[in-house]
Amino acid sequence: MVRIKERYLLVNILYPTEIGTRPNVPDVVVINQPTTDQLTPVVLLRGIRAEVANLFGDYGSGAIEGGSLSVKYLSQATSTFILRTSRSSYRFVWSALSFINSIPVKNGKPCIFRVVHVSGTMRKAEEEAIRRARDLIFAAQNGQNEP
Amino acid sequence: MLYDLNIAWSPTTSPDELLRTLRFSASLGYDVVALNHTISPPIPPQISNPIPEFPSSPSSPPLPTILRRATLLFSDPTQQHRIPQLASTYDLLALRPQTEKAFQAACLNIQEASLISLDLSARLPFYFRPKPCMAAVHRGVRFEICYAAVLSPAADARARATFIGNVAQLVRATRGRGLVLSSEARGVLGLRAPADVVNLVHVWGVPRERAVEGLGAAARGVVVNEGMRRTGFRGVIDVVGVAGRGGEGRRKRKNGGEDGENEGGAGANSIVTAAGVEGEQQQPPLSKRQAKKLKAALRKKHVSGDDEQKQA
């Protein structure tokens, strides 16, 4: 039996444009602030598909077509999501994510998508997400930057 | 250690935006960044370094180590006699050749610059031929790929295509060797995390391990070389601090060493010559055995000296 190989991308949404505007809040908290609730999995997928089509044309859109791209988890509170793509096309998706400059909703805030983990199984991506969330809390408590 | 050797700076850059960029690059994990000042061809008669310095204090938010770099738009290879002075005022010097002749000269002749930074998003009036490119790489000159130009929303499809084509050509000519990846970010949105950058250039045709090298080892090589060239003597000896009197000399030397470390490890692998000579007389770190040996040798000398005097 041949498995369909996949890649899970764990992505953080960062908001660097507001650093320094709030003097009492540490940088970590400002950068990792919550995302707007308008960003639903459907909207996010549409944004990524559009960017892939923009960058890689029909070939790219074809590669991520057929249910191979989906949002497995999206948390607006921690600005984190997990994407599933096929292994052959994850680099397209990843570079499309690097090219996105704002949240793909109407009047979206400027942001940066940072892929923090790539793994072959959902479980490892989830564990990493939990670890990162915990580190983030500690970092915010200490008022220091992420290690 | 991760390096980003190009963050755009100009006299009109607002300090707030600059500080924001630096803080964000620290939080993305970059350890050393260079602020870049682009200079157009007539080099001003009075060369000064206008880039502000950022003193580090424990209370301020963490910033990466900041170097100051100049990029000279270089079109006429006959006008290079002032480049050494320019190089000495900045921590790094890069050239941006505009013509084929200038590119050749930058690859083969010019000693002071260790980076060739091309504007890859515009059509270049020359091809990258493997011979001069490889000669440059063997000489220690690195080629720079600046990715922020394509990432900004202002970039049109044509510029992106040209950029990717140029990167592919450059990789073909150098076989992926001697590349340095840097952002040339004009604002905070031009920066990307190291892993994202590696993936991007991998898609554009740079081998993955070469890309990792371009963010770390290759960039470090440039910084360390330039640091040695400015503080050291022929790359062999590095003076990291001058000995004062007694214990003061020691303290100074220690501080100097740390400064060297901050400048990208310039002092780390150099020979320290300025060990306080006078300092050693005050507190001799000799063992008893060594002291005895020394005494014996001194006595011998005295005796032989006396003999010689008698003979005379």
Side-chain angles (χ1 to χ4, degrees):
Chain A
M1 190 60 192
V2 181
R3 262 175 82 145
I4 299 171
K5 298 276 172 89
E6 266 142 6
R7 281 283 176 269
Y8 293 88
L9 307 181
L10 174 64
V11 189
N12 273 354
I13 307 174
L14 308 178
Y15 298 89
T17 46
E18 287 172 26
I19 299 175
T21 50
R22 276 174 278 177
N24 297 326
V25 186
D27 283 1
V28 196
V29 180
V30 177
I31 292 171
N32 293 286
Q33 61 181 273
T35 309
T36 161
D37 283 338
Q38 292 168 342
L39 187 76
T40 55
V42 180
V43 175
L44 181 63
L45 265 188
R46 199 184 299 144
I48 295 170
R49 284 229 175 85
E51 194 61 44
V52 169
N54 184 19
L55 288 175
F56 298 100
D58 296 344
Y59 175 65
S61 335
I64 58 167
E65 198 57 39
S68 74
L69 181 72
S70 62
V71 176
K72 281 289 177 186
Y73 169 77
L74 171 66
S75 151
Q76 283 97 352
T78 54
S79 296
T80 307
F81 61 92
I82 296 178
L83 271 182
R84 190 196 67 179
T85 67
S86 69
R87 194 175 66 167
S88 54
S89 63
Y90 82 97
R91 290 203 179 270
F92 292 160
V93 178
W94 189 349
S95 40
L97 286 173
S98 324
F99 270 89
I100 296 177
N101 277 312
S102 61
I103 299 285
V105 295
K106 208 174 181 189
N107 298 328
K109 256 191 200 175
C111 69
I112 285 174
F113 287 59
R114 178 188 187 183
V115 177
V116 290
H117 192 72
V118 180
S119 81
T121 57
M122 178 84 190
R123 208 181 91 192
K124 285 289 169 194
E126 209 180 307
E127 281 170 12
E128 177 72 11
I130 293 167
R131 196 186 68 78
R132 287 204 158 252
R134 189 182 297 132
D135 282 358
L136 199 64
I137 290 170
F138 288 141
Q141 275 173 350
N142 296 335
Q144 285 166 355
N145 265 344
E146 247 178 305
Chain B
M1 292 281 273
L2 290 163
Y3 290 74
D4 183 356
L5 293 188
N6 193 348
I7 285 182
W9 181 91
S10 67
T12 54
T13 313
S14 75
D16 284 348
E17 182 65 24
L18 185 65
L19 199 62
R20 201 172 296 150
T21 312
L22 292 173
R23 276 158 79 168
F24 187 53
S25 78
S27 81
L28 282 180
Y30 291 102
D31 300 301
V32 179
V33 301
L35 294 179
N36 181 28
H37 185 206
T38 307
I39 298 168
S40 342
I43 301 174
Q46 297 291 321
I47 298 174
S48 64
N49 193 339
I51 301 176
E53 293 200 58
F54 293 85
S56 66
S57 63
S59 59
S60 66
L63 291 180
T65 307
I66 293 161
L67 303 172
R68 303 189 293 171
R69 157 185 155 166
T71 302
L72 180 65
L73 298 179
F74 186 56
S75 52
D76 190 1
T78 54
Q79 292 186 338
Q80 43 169 289
H81 59 283
R82 305 228 19 231
I83 290 179
Q85 293 163 32
L86 189 66
S88 62
T89 23
Y90 290 87
D91 293 329
L92 291 173
L93 179 69
L95 292 179
R96 179 158 284 189
Q98 311 272 331
T99 60
E100 168 136 38
K101 279 206 175 124
F103 180 69
Q104 286 265 359
C107 281
L108 303 173
N109 298 329
I110 295 170
Q111 301 294 328
E112 283 75 24
S114 56
L115 275 175
I116 297 179
S117 157
L118 292 155
D119 182 14
L120 296 175
S121 57
R123 230 181 103 76
L124 297 170
F126 51 86
Y127 289 111
F128 299 115
R129 286 190 295 115
K131 226 171 205 173
C133 289
M134 286 312 277
V137 172
H138 285 305
R139 232 160 49 84
V141 177
R142 299 282 174 259
F143 290 94
E144 191 183 41
I145 298 177
C146 303
Y147 55 83
V150 260
L151 291 178
S152 74
D156 60 338
R158 201 57 239 151
R160 277 206 288 251
T162 321
F163 184 93
I164 295 169
N166 280 330
V167 169
Q169 261 196 51
L170 192 60
V171 171
R172 191 188 66 91
T174 60
R175 280 183 250 155
R177 283 169 214 171
L179 297 178
V180 168
L181 305 178
S182 50
S183 63
E184 200 173 13
R186 282 169 208 292
V188 75
L189 283 174
L191 289 173
R192 287 294 179 276
D196 290 345
V197 177
V198 169
N199 172 65
L200 259 188
V201 295
H202 180 86
V203 170
W204 293 336
V206 180
R208 214 186 63 84
E209 60 275 11
R210 298 278 184 210
V212 174
E213 215 170 78
L215 279 173
R220 176 176 186 277
V222 170
V223 172
V224 171
N225 261 346
E226 291 289 293
M228 297 263 275
R229 207 178 277 171
R230 277 163 182 70
T231 60
F233 174 72
R234 291 187 182 168
V236 180
I237 294 172
D238 196 3
V239 181
V240 292
V242 183
R245 297 229 173 241
E248 200 189 333
R250 263 161 206 288
R251 220 174 304 130
K252 251 188 193 167
R253 187 183 129 203
K254 227 178 195 175
N255 287 343
E258 275 166 15
D259 286 348
E261 282 281 316
N262 287 344
E263 278 166 19
N269 43 12
S270 54
I271 303 165
V272 179
T273 53
V277 180
E278 287 158 322
E280 276 183 7
Q281 281 179 354
Q282 288 217 331
Q283 23 163 244
L286 297 175
S287 69
K288 276 190 177 171
R289 206 165 146 195
Q290 270 178 323
K292 261 184 195 171
K293 264 188 190 166
L294 261 181
K295 253 186 205 167
L298 269 178
R299 210 177 298 135
K300 228 181 203 174
K301 223 186 203 172
H302 268 296
V303 172
S304 61
D306 288 349
D307 286 350
E308 273 171 23
Q309 276 184 353
K310 274 177 194 171
Q311 276 170 9

